[in-house]
Amino acid sequence: IFVVHGNQMDRSKPYVPSEVLEFNYRLYSPIVEFAANNGMKVAFENTMTNERQPSFCSTPEELISLTEKFADSGAVGICWDFGHGNVMFDPNSIQEMAKTKDWLISTHVHDNYFGKDMHGIPFTGNLDWKAAMKTLKDIEYQGDFTFEFVYKNYPDALFMDMMRFAYKAGKY
């Protein structure tokens, strides 16, 4: 699974969702075709937006609209980034993720708090992991759980301990 973010085109232009959708369709068409012809899939990842800078695919509706444009290819899906979702929709991020259930094929698992995309180990932020796992079970998610951490701040001497904790958090 090749995970990509929706692209915003030229940020100096006004954000018009229908135009950005068409731009992304044209942009990713050759990649989706390549994936379809080579036993791969492309997953569109949920992004984050704010008042100053819109970001395409920051809502389940935009993710689904782009994914559905490629439905006939059989080579697309959605990657739900838990951290991005938590920044965008806390405390409703898990309900927003559930909207993608028909297309969800991949996850980026990390935690955060204070509205920052921190890429922490699960249980080090404020995301409700119990609700997240229950929802994934309820929607019959069959994909992988891919950790997406930022570990540059860990000293080398603590790195393996951090990895052991991440492993235990994932198993839990």
Side-chain angles (χ1 to χ4, degrees), residues 16-145:
V16 179
S18 60
E19 292 177 12
V20 178
L21 173 63
E22 290 306 315
F23 173 81
N24 277 272
Y25 180 71
R26 289 189 309 275
L27 176 69
Y28 288 117
S29 286
I31 295 168
V32 170
E33 181 180 350
F34 179 85
N37 291 332
N38 289 283
M40 300 168 62
K41 290 196 177 212
V42 174
F44 299 108
E45 179 179 343
N46 58 309
T47 59
M48 299 179 304
T49 194
N50 60 47
E51 305 80 37
R52 294 176 292 124
Q53 185 173 355
S55 180
F56 188 66
C57 291
S58 63
T59 67
E61 293 77 16
E62 287 181 344
L63 282 165
I64 292 166
S65 70
L66 179 58
T67 305
E68 286 179 342
K69 286 187 77 65
F70 292 105
D72 291 342
S73 73
V76 295
I78 289 173
C79 174
W80 187 260
D81 185 300
F82 284 95
H84 294 170
N86 200 36
V87 169
M88 285 291 299
F89 302 110
D90 180 45
N92 300 311
S93 63
I94 305 307
Q95 295 91 326
E96 293 298 309
M97 175 197 63
K99 293 177 182 179
T100 70
K101 68 181 180 178
D102 293 334
W103 293 101
L104 190 61
I105 62 171
S106 179
T107 60
H108 281 171
V109 176
H110 57 99
D111 211 339
N112 56 32
Y113 53 90
F114 297 132
K116 298 188 185 291
D117 189 29
M118 300 165 69
H119 291 83
I121 297 168
F123 307 106
T124 63
N126 69 346
L127 202 135
D128 185 348
W129 290 103
K130 184 176 181 179
M133 295 303 109
K134 181 184 181 320
T135 300
L136 288 170
K137 183 178 180 182
D138 290 348
I139 65 172
E140 300 178 0
Y141 176 69
Q142 299 295 310
D144 291 329
F145 295 94

Side-chain angles (χ1 to χ4, degrees), residues 151-162:
Y151 53 84
K152 67 181 178 183
N153 295 329
Y154 286 90
D156 289 346
L158 298 177
F159 181 76
M160 289 310 297
D161 290 328
M162 187 266 312

